[in-house]
Amino acid sequence: RNNYKMIDFEYNFVRNKYEMLIDKSQISRVFQNLIINSIHSIQDANLSVGKIIVESSVTNNDLNISILDNGVGLKYEKNELIKPYFTTKRNGSGLGLPIVNKIINDHNGKIEFIPLDDGAKIKIDFINICILNIRGIKHYCNTRFINYIVHI
């Protein structure tokens, strides 16, 4: 794309340090795809300054992550967005969001696509995943994913 815009990134993460067991490469793929989609949405909105906010919180045994942007927003329902080969991009493959959805589901999570008045919000909840506090006390542990321990 040639229409580069100024984009402000804001990160609001949980204050306590936690670790969780995940497949790091797959989860990285999820967030790369979602951030790139937000950037494209901001470029399509033709804003002078875009904004992407990434937030996280821990509720009980769940890790909640949201990505908000002030781009063009969502014009389709989740079932359309995660359908293989469905795309709104001129050169898109239509595989990004279906893959994101599968990875999230494989990690015992769920993803929501929420339209906002001035953009969109993507909400991901990892449910009952292995969350350890910094002292190593287990809150809950689903041991399906033991390849990597990452700090959040």
Side-chain angles (χ1 to χ4, degrees), residues 41 69 71-77 81 97 112-116 119-122:
S41 179
D69 68 59
V72 295
L74 298 167
K75 296 171 180 53
Y76 300 93
E77 296 293 322
L81 294 170
L97 291 178
E112 295 178 68
F113 300 89
I114 304 164
L116 302 174
K121 177 178 181 177
I122 309 302

Short mmCIF file of all heavy atoms in Angstrom, two decimals, residues 41 69 71-77 81 97 112-116 119-122:
data_model
loop_
_atom_site.label_atom_id
_atom_site.label_comp_id
_atom_site.label_asym_id
_atom_site.label_seq_id
_atom_site.Cartn_x
_atom_site.Cartn_y
_atom_site.Cartn_z
N SER A 41 -7.26 -1.18 7.77
CA SER A 41 -8.54 -0.53 8.00
C SER A 41 -8.38 0.98 8.21
O SER A 41 -9.16 1.78 7.70
CB SER A 41 -9.23 -1.17 9.21
OG SER A 41 -10.45 -0.55 9.48
N ASP A 69 -9.35 -0.25 16.91
CA ASP A 69 -8.79 0.70 15.95
C ASP A 69 -9.88 1.67 15.50
O ASP A 69 -11.06 1.43 15.71
CB ASP A 69 -8.16 -0.02 14.75
CG ASP A 69 -9.16 -0.72 13.85
OD1 ASP A 69 -10.07 -0.04 13.31
OD2 ASP A 69 -9.05 -1.94 13.67
N GLY A 71 -10.38 2.56 12.33
CA GLY A 71 -10.46 2.41 10.88
C GLY A 71 -11.88 2.42 10.37
O GLY A 71 -12.78 2.99 10.99
N VAL A 72 -12.09 1.76 9.24
CA VAL A 72 -13.40 1.78 8.57
C VAL A 72 -14.47 0.98 9.30
O VAL A 72 -15.65 1.12 9.00
CB VAL A 72 -13.30 1.28 7.10
CG1 VAL A 72 -12.45 2.23 6.28
CG2 VAL A 72 -12.78 -0.14 7.02
N GLY A 73 -14.07 0.14 10.23
CA GLY A 73 -15.05 -0.62 11.00
C GLY A 73 -15.39 -1.95 10.34
O GLY A 73 -14.80 -2.35 9.35
N LEU A 74 -16.37 -2.62 10.91
CA LEU A 74 -16.79 -3.93 10.45
C LEU A 74 -18.14 -3.83 9.77
O LEU A 74 -19.09 -3.31 10.33
CB LEU A 74 -16.88 -4.91 11.63
CG LEU A 74 -15.56 -5.15 12.36
CD1 LEU A 74 -15.81 -5.87 13.68
CD2 LEU A 74 -14.62 -5.96 11.49
N LYS A 75 -18.22 -4.37 8.58
CA LYS A 75 -19.47 -4.33 7.83
C LYS A 75 -20.09 -5.72 7.69
O LYS A 75 -21.13 -5.88 7.07
CB LYS A 75 -19.23 -3.73 6.45
CG LYS A 75 -18.78 -2.28 6.51
CD LYS A 75 -18.34 -1.77 5.15
CE LYS A 75 -17.90 -0.35 5.16
NZ LYS A 75 -16.90 0.03 6.11
N TYR A 76 -19.43 -6.74 8.25
CA TYR A 76 -19.90 -8.12 8.11
C TYR A 76 -19.93 -8.80 9.48
O TYR A 76 -19.21 -8.43 10.39
CB TYR A 76 -18.99 -8.90 7.16
CG TYR A 76 -18.94 -8.31 5.78
CD1 TYR A 76 -17.96 -7.39 5.42
CD2 TYR A 76 -19.89 -8.65 4.82
CE1 TYR A 76 -17.93 -6.83 4.16
CE2 TYR A 76 -19.87 -8.09 3.56
CZ TYR A 76 -18.88 -7.19 3.23
OH TYR A 76 -18.86 -6.62 1.98
N GLU A 77 -20.76 -9.82 9.58
CA GLU A 77 -20.86 -10.60 10.81
C GLU A 77 -19.70 -11.59 10.89
O GLU A 77 -19.07 -11.92 9.89
CB GLU A 77 -22.19 -11.38 10.82
CG GLU A 77 -23.42 -10.49 10.84
CD GLU A 77 -23.56 -9.70 12.14
OE1 GLU A 77 -23.24 -10.26 13.21
OE2 GLU A 77 -23.97 -8.53 12.07
N LEU A 81 -16.92 -13.23 8.20
CA LEU A 81 -15.51 -12.87 8.30
C LEU A 81 -14.59 -14.08 8.42
O LEU A 81 -13.45 -14.04 7.96
CB LEU A 81 -15.28 -11.94 9.49
CG LEU A 81 -15.93 -10.55 9.39
CD1 LEU A 81 -15.83 -9.83 10.71
CD2 LEU A 81 -15.29 -9.74 8.27
N LEU A 97 -8.39 -14.42 8.61
CA LEU A 97 -9.28 -14.54 9.76
C LEU A 97 -9.75 -15.96 10.03
O LEU A 97 -9.89 -16.35 11.19
CB LEU A 97 -10.45 -13.57 9.63
CG LEU A 97 -10.07 -12.09 9.76
CD1 LEU A 97 -11.28 -11.20 9.58
CD2 LEU A 97 -9.37 -11.80 11.08
N GLU A 112 -14.32 -12.39 19.19
CA GLU A 112 -15.50 -11.60 18.82
C GLU A 112 -15.06 -10.43 17.96
O GLU A 112 -13.99 -9.85 18.18
CB GLU A 112 -16.19 -11.05 20.06
CG GLU A 112 -16.79 -12.08 20.98
CD GLU A 112 -17.41 -11.42 22.20
OE1 GLU A 112 -18.44 -10.71 22.03
OE2 GLU A 112 -16.85 -11.57 23.30
N PHE A 113 -15.89 -10.09 16.99
CA PHE A 113 -15.67 -8.93 16.12
C PHE A 113 -16.77 -7.94 16.43
O PHE A 113 -17.94 -8.20 16.15
CB PHE A 113 -15.71 -9.36 14.65
CG PHE A 113 -14.66 -10.38 14.31
CD1 PHE A 113 -14.92 -11.74 14.43
CD2 PHE A 113 -13.41 -9.98 13.86
CE1 PHE A 113 -13.95 -12.69 14.12
CE2 PHE A 113 -12.44 -10.93 13.54
CZ PHE A 113 -12.71 -12.28 13.68
N ILE A 114 -16.41 -6.80 17.02
CA ILE A 114 -17.38 -5.84 17.53
C ILE A 114 -17.28 -4.53 16.77
O ILE A 114 -16.25 -3.85 16.83
CB ILE A 114 -17.15 -5.61 19.05
CG1 ILE A 114 -17.19 -6.95 19.79
CG2 ILE A 114 -18.16 -4.62 19.60
CD1 ILE A 114 -16.62 -6.90 21.19
N PRO A 115 -18.34 -4.14 16.03
CA PRO A 115 -18.31 -2.84 15.35
C PRO A 115 -18.42 -1.70 16.37
O PRO A 115 -19.16 -1.80 17.35
CB PRO A 115 -19.54 -2.87 14.44
CG PRO A 115 -20.25 -4.14 14.69
CD PRO A 115 -19.55 -4.89 15.78
N LEU A 116 -17.67 -0.65 16.15
CA LEU A 116 -17.74 0.56 16.97
C LEU A 116 -18.18 1.72 16.09
O LEU A 116 -18.10 1.65 14.87
CB LEU A 116 -16.37 0.87 17.58
CG LEU A 116 -15.74 -0.22 18.45
CD1 LEU A 116 -14.32 0.19 18.86
CD2 LEU A 116 -16.59 -0.52 19.67
N GLY A 119 -14.77 2.71 14.25
CA GLY A 119 -13.77 1.66 14.06
C GLY A 119 -14.29 0.29 14.43
O GLY A 119 -15.45 -0.04 14.21
N ALA A 120 -13.40 -0.50 15.02
CA ALA A 120 -13.74 -1.87 15.36
C ALA A 120 -12.98 -2.32 16.60
O ALA A 120 -11.93 -1.75 16.94
CB ALA A 120 -13.42 -2.81 14.20
N LYS A 121 -13.51 -3.34 17.23
CA LYS A 121 -12.86 -3.96 18.38
C LYS A 121 -12.85 -5.47 18.15
O LYS A 121 -13.87 -6.06 17.81
CB LYS A 121 -13.62 -3.65 19.67
CG LYS A 121 -13.06 -4.31 20.91
CD LYS A 121 -13.87 -3.90 22.14
CE LYS A 121 -13.33 -4.53 23.40
NZ LYS A 121 -14.09 -4.06 24.59
N ILE A 122 -11.68 -6.06 18.31
CA ILE A 122 -11.54 -7.51 18.25
C ILE A 122 -11.25 -7.95 19.67
O ILE A 122 -10.28 -7.49 20.28
CB ILE A 122 -10.39 -7.95 17.31
CG1 ILE A 122 -10.50 -7.27 15.95
CG2 ILE A 122 -10.34 -9.47 17.22
CD1 ILE A 122 -11.77 -7.52 15.20
#
